[in-house]
Structure formats: structure tokens, C-alpha cells
Amino acid sequence: MFAPRDPDDYLLNSERRVIRVRRHWSYLLWDVLEAGALLAGAMMISYLLPPNAGIIQNILWYVSLLVLLRLAYFIIEWWVERIVVTDKRFMLTSGVFETKVAMMPISKVTDLTYERSVTGRMFGFGTLIVESAGQIQALNRLEYLPDPEEVYDAISELVFGDKKAQAERFSMIKAQRMARGKSMLPK
């Protein structure tokens, strides 16, 4: 009831999912470091306060609890957000309490740019910039993508590859699933 919908629920029967990822874990690194520093600061101040400063001690611990709850929310938000690429469109599903689905058709993509910093190479993430016919879309910059080379290659194949070969490959996958008695949409 309260759980967000699975991103595959938004796919059409005629769509083939190519990529489904969440952002790299390093997306949360700054939030974790910030929460750790705030908690360490609260503990240090609490330790340095005189024993008769009970109200200030309570306030510090309530602030620490809020810091932990904020971090938990950011982690849940990261866990729920998914980037899905099908043979027809890009989708970004997000939202813990309110589900948001951003979508852009693959046919609108005119250019792909792939960026990877030194930090990204060390940790295994990159940025993909998707441009479309003179418009800035909701999905124009996908940061902290894990395994960005594979994502870039798969999207490049979808956008600029041989459409006839893709259709044949998709119909072959569809035939294999039907032969095994499975539906096209994974559950």
C-alpha cells in the first residue's frame, strides 16, 4: 500500500527493458559524511557540557535523532529511485511518499555525452548527458550512473543502432518467453 510501484509496472507490453539501475552508492557519500560529522560534533559538545546542563543535553540528542532520521530518508529515497531504459523511452522513477515518473522517448534523443571524472573512475560511476531536439528534458543529466560504459553502449545501440536487428532480437526474446509460458512483463 505505501510501497512505491515497481518501475516495470509503468512499461507497456510492447516495450523491452534494456537497463534498470539505481544511482551509484557514492551518491550518498556526502550525506553520510555530513551526518557523521554532525553526530560527532553533538557527541563532543555533549561530553564537554557540565553535568547540570540536562536541557541542552536533551536538545543535542533530539538534534542527533533528527540527523539520523534525515539520513535514513536520503537512503530510502536513493533506494527507491530507479533509472529505466527501454527500447522506446528513458524513465526515472523516484519519490518515497509521492511517486514521480519522468520520461523521455528514445526517438527524441539527438546526442549522448558521457563524462567520467577521476573520482568516478576510482569508484565506478559516471555521468550521461542526454540531449534532445533543442529542448531541456527532465532526464537531460543522469549523474552517478554505475557501470557507465555499458549504459552508454546500450543506449547508443538503441538510439543510433540498426533498428531492424533490434526488432528481430526483441521478437526472438518474445518468442522464447512465450515458448516457456512467461509473460512479457516480469513480475
Side-chain angles (χ1 to χ4, degrees):
M1 181 173 140
F2 290 108
R5 286 178 63 183
D6 185 30
D8 287 344
D9 291 345
Y10 297 107
L11 301 183
L12 304 172
N13 287 333
S14 60
E15 283 183 291
R16 175 179 56 99
R17 180 172 43 114
V18 178
I19 298 165
R20 178 183 163 163
V21 295
R22 70 174 47 96
R23 293 185 196 269
H24 194 267
W25 62 266
S26 60
Y27 179 73
L28 292 171
L29 194 58
W30 180 254
D31 295 322
V32 170
L33 292 174
E34 182 181 54
L38 288 171
L39 291 173
M43 288 174 60
M44 189 173 7
I45 292 170
S46 175
Y47 180 75
L48 295 174
L49 284 174
N52 60 355
I55 294 174
I56 297 173
Q57 292 272 0
N58 285 341
I59 291 172
L60 278 174
W61 290 111
Y62 285 124
V63 167
S64 297
L65 179 64
L66 288 176
V67 167
L68 286 174
L69 289 174
R70 179 178 174 264
L71 178 63
Y73 177 77
F74 286 149
I75 291 171
I76 291 169
E77 189 177 50
W78 167 79
W79 187 261
V80 167
E81 183 182 73
R82 297 291 169 102
I83 299 165
V84 178
V85 179
T86 70
D87 58 342
K88 296 187 182 347
R89 59 185 167 158
F90 285 90
M91 284 189 340
L92 176 69
T93 61
S94 60
V96 176
F97 300 112
E98 180 181 344
T99 303
K100 294 171 247 157
V101 180
M103 188 271 304
M104 182 173 78
I106 287 281
S107 60
K108 297 275 186 187
V109 175
T110 58
D111 190 31
L112 286 175
T113 303
Y114 161 68
E115 296 174 352
R116 199 160 190 196
S117 64
V118 173
T119 310
R121 279 188 238 131
M122 287 180 359
F123 289 111
F125 66 86
T127 301
L128 190 67
I129 301 167
V130 183
E131 295 178 18
S132 67
Q135 301 171 349
I136 294 182
Q137 300 286 334
L139 297 172
N140 68 331
R141 189 170 184 86
L142 300 171
E143 295 178 326
Y144 293 95
L145 275 178
D147 302 320
E149 289 98 1
E150 285 133 34
V151 173
Y152 177 79
D153 290 343
I155 294 172
S156 294
E157 174 67 27
L158 284 172
V159 174
F160 307 111
D162 182 14
K163 303 295 183 206
K164 186 176 178 185
Q166 289 174 15
E168 288 173 7
R169 189 169 40 234
F170 181 53
S171 62
M172 193 183 270
I173 292 169
K174 188 175 180 180
Q176 289 171 348
R177 284 186 180 171
M178 289 176 70
R180 287 184 290 209
K182 293 185 178 179
S183 69
M184 284 304 294
L185 280 177
K187 296 180 179 168

